[in-house]
Amino acid sequence: MKSKKLVALGLAAAMCVSLAACGGSGSSSGKSSSGSATASSGNVANKDKPVVWFNRQPSNSSTGELDSNALHFNDNTYYVGFDANQGAELQGTMIADYIKAHKDEIDRNGDGVIGYVLAIGDIGHNDSIARTRGVRKALGTAVKDGDNIDYQAIGTNTDGSSKDVQDGSIDGVDLKIRELASQEMKNSAGATWDAATAGNAIQSWSSSFGDQIDIVVSNNDGMGMSMFNAWSKAQKVPTFGYDANSDAVAAIAEGYGGTISQHADVQAYLTLRVLRNALDGVDVMTGISKADDQGNVLEEGKDYRYDEKNRSFYALNLAVTADNYKDFTDSTKVYEPVSKQLNSDKKKVWLDIYNASDNFLGSTYQPLLEKYDDLMNLDVDYIGGDGQTESNITNRLGNPNQYDAFAINMVKTDNAASYTSLLQ
């Protein structure tokens, strides 16, 4: 096992939590960064060292408003995630397309209603909010809360009387669509995106609703696969998730309806590449929109987009279905256009993952990071949190002086100051 392998605390190892990787969605788009970074050295103050927030964008968990102070902590601070709204819309469209293609057989009990249940990861998380809204919008079940679609969990709604959703429809399908139930999957310890809780929920829902459930939808694959294995696989009920985890992709051959790839290979590359560029004192777009000396380069608009105002890079999502899942069977394969070795001097990076037991981050994102850190000559210390408290992570950043750069994955999007205060 690599010496850099993430060390999980006993508490974290006992948990079974799964989270989609997640970032918010910025409001503007730009083509390049203004100016170049300054190379790191032993004389650089911690407050001036490169910082990349990844997977969870600093923001207000209630309003979604981005934390500008955190995103502009210093001149070498960026965020790397994925385009949450684009991915959410893609998941909704994927489910709607499936319904259209199977409209003659999808209504299991012939009641004229396509009933679905929805596993919500974290009602205060930007990506969870976006995915819930994306599904409801695509299926016509959305209800506006002010100017935006309501994203709250509704409990049960078998009679269609809920005020937070409505019976929907899809063009070309002569059936009502109803959200029968939705629930935030939070366990008794307070951890969200909890796969075990989702498995228990589908057992409860299936006992109550039986063959009224025609589709199972999840904010991520961890919860989706838990429900698939606990019930919907045996019942041949299509289940849709998000993240393109390897087990979910493989399960498409067994009836899993589909998932969304958030281009984790591009995200992992960008997470370390922006740090490498800052440490080398080159334009932040080197090896991103501009080919480096080795030929590494991404395609803007296809692989990612950049929001210059909010200093945020967003990988673009891809739908994974029965038509193309074989192309996604290895979720830890580096992206060929950015797979060439750099010649830069070795630098030391502190990087945390909010929950050592997280399925997506542990089985997909970190293995990719470990491949890219070798390609970029970065010596990375991987720190695994318990998924519940920020201090479980920050307590292990006792000596930031020994690091050249920092990559931060918060437990809660509101808590950026817990980290920046240690670097001040």
Side-chain angles (χ1 to χ4, degrees):
M1 181 178 295
K2 294 181 65 172
S3 62
K4 296 179 292 183
K5 193 71 176 174
L6 179 151
V7 179
L9 295 183
L11 174 61
M15 296 171 62
C16 181
V17 179
S18 180
L19 170 68
C22 287
S25 179
S27 59
S28 63
S29 178
K31 289 291 183 182
S32 64
S33 172
S34 56
S36 298
T38 302
S40 177
S41 73
N43 297 321
V44 176
N46 291 323
K47 67 181 180 62
D48 297 321
K49 291 177 180 178
V51 173
V52 61
W53 309 97
F54 73 96
N55 183 253
R56 293 185 166 191
Q57 191 170 31
S59 59
N60 185 306
S61 61
S62 297
T63 66
E65 180 181 3
L66 298 185
D67 182 348
S68 182
N69 290 332
L71 292 169
H72 296 82
F73 173 64
N74 62 33
D75 290 341
N76 296 323
T77 299
Y78 295 90
Y79 169 73
V80 172
F82 71 106
D83 192 323
N85 290 331
Q86 180 253 347
E89 292 174 2
L90 195 60
Q91 186 189 32
T93 299
M94 174 178 63
I95 298 168
D97 287 345
Y98 184 95
I99 292 173
K100 291 177 183 178
H102 298 84
K103 61 184 179 182
D104 294 333
E105 69 269 13
I106 198 167
D107 182 9
R108 296 201 304 147
N109 64 358
D111 64 353
V113 177
I114 300 173
Y116 72 93
V117 292
L118 173 63
I120 295 175
D122 179 347
I123 58 174
H125 192 292
N126 283 356
D127 297 334
S128 187
I129 291 169
R131 293 170 199 178
T132 296
R133 285 173 169 167
V135 168
R136 288 176 177 171
K137 180 180 178 181
L139 301 185
T141 57
V143 169
K144 285 289 188 74
D145 179 12
D147 294 332
N148 298 308
I149 293 172
D150 194 326
Y151 60 86
Q152 299 296 329
I154 64 168
T156 59
N157 178 47
T158 53
D159 62 357
S161 63
S162 173
K163 302 300 182 184
D164 297 311
V165 291
Q166 63 182 359
D167 284 352
S169 62
I170 298 174
D171 289 343
V173 179
D174 190 24
L175 295 165
K176 289 181 181 179
I177 301 175
R178 178 174 297 166
E179 186 171 311
L180 298 172
S182 55
Q183 175 185 327
E184 180 186 37
M185 300 304 167
K186 179 187 289 188
N187 68 18
S188 59
T192 54
W193 304 86
D194 187 59
T197 302
N200 292 333
I202 194 62
Q203 296 284 16
S204 176
W205 287 335
S206 62
S207 295
S208 299
F209 313 145
D211 59 8
Q212 288 179 269
I213 303 174
D214 301 306
I215 293 176
V216 175
V217 183
S218 175
N219 279 173
N220 78 352
D221 280 333
M223 299 182 299
M225 282 298 295
S226 182
M227 295 189 290
F228 183 70
N229 290 325
W231 181 76
S232 52
K233 178 180 177 180
Q235 300 300 318
K236 301 187 184 304
V237 173
T239 303
F240 296 87
Y242 202 114
D243 286 340
N245 289 343
S246 57
D247 59 341
V249 172
I252 291 176
E254 302 175 312
Y256 198 72
T259 182
I260 299 295
S261 168
Q262 48 181 286
H263 240 331
D265 47 3
V266 170
Q267 286 190 68
Y269 172 78
L270 287 169
T271 298
L272 298 181
R273 185 72 207 220
V274 294
L275 294 180
R276 182 76 260 182
N277 288 344
L279 292 168
D280 291 344
V282 300
D283 191 306
V284 70
M285 287 299 178
T286 302
I288 301 175
S289 65
K290 303 174 182 178
D292 61 20
D293 292 342
Q294 288 73 31
N296 294 302
V297 67
L298 296 172
E299 185 177 339
E300 186 169 11
K302 173 179 175 291
D303 299 322
Y304 78 99
R305 70 177 179 88
Y306 179 57
D307 174 353
E308 186 172 18
K309 176 184 176 183
N310 293 304
R311 303 175 69 82
S312 297
F313 290 88
Y314 303 103
L316 298 182
N317 304 268
L318 305 167
V320 183
T321 67
D323 294 331
N324 65 350
Y325 76 95
K326 292 181 180 179
D327 297 332
F328 294 85
T329 52
D330 184 358
S331 63
T332 64
K333 181 180 179 181
V334 299
Y335 193 43
E336 195 281 330
V338 288
S339 59
K340 300 174 182 65
Q341 181 72 47
L342 301 187
N343 300 317
S344 303
D345 293 338
K346 184 78 75 173
K347 295 290 184 179
K348 193 168 182 63
V349 174
W350 184 94
L351 182 151
D352 82 274
I353 287 177
Y354 96 104
N355 186 352
S357 297
D358 179 77
N359 186 280
F360 168 70
L361 293 172
S363 65
T364 300
Y365 211 108
Q366 187 182 339
L368 283 164
L369 289 168
E370 291 178 347
K371 292 177 180 179
Y372 282 119
D373 69 25
D374 288 336
L375 291 173
M376 296 185 204
N377 290 316
L378 294 172
D379 180 10
V380 181
D381 280 350
Y382 293 93
I383 308 299
D386 63 6
Q388 300 174 56
T389 58
E390 224 71 62
S391 61
N392 181 263
I393 301 168
T394 56
N395 286 346
R396 286 179 282 168
L397 185 55
N399 184 17
N401 294 321
Q402 66 181 301
Y403 298 99
D404 297 298
F406 308 90
I408 300 169
N409 172 219
M410 297 174 287
V411 173
K412 291 294 184 183
T413 61
D414 310 82
N415 292 340
S418 299
Y419 299 85
T420 56
S421 63
L422 298 175
L423 304 179
Q424 293 286 359

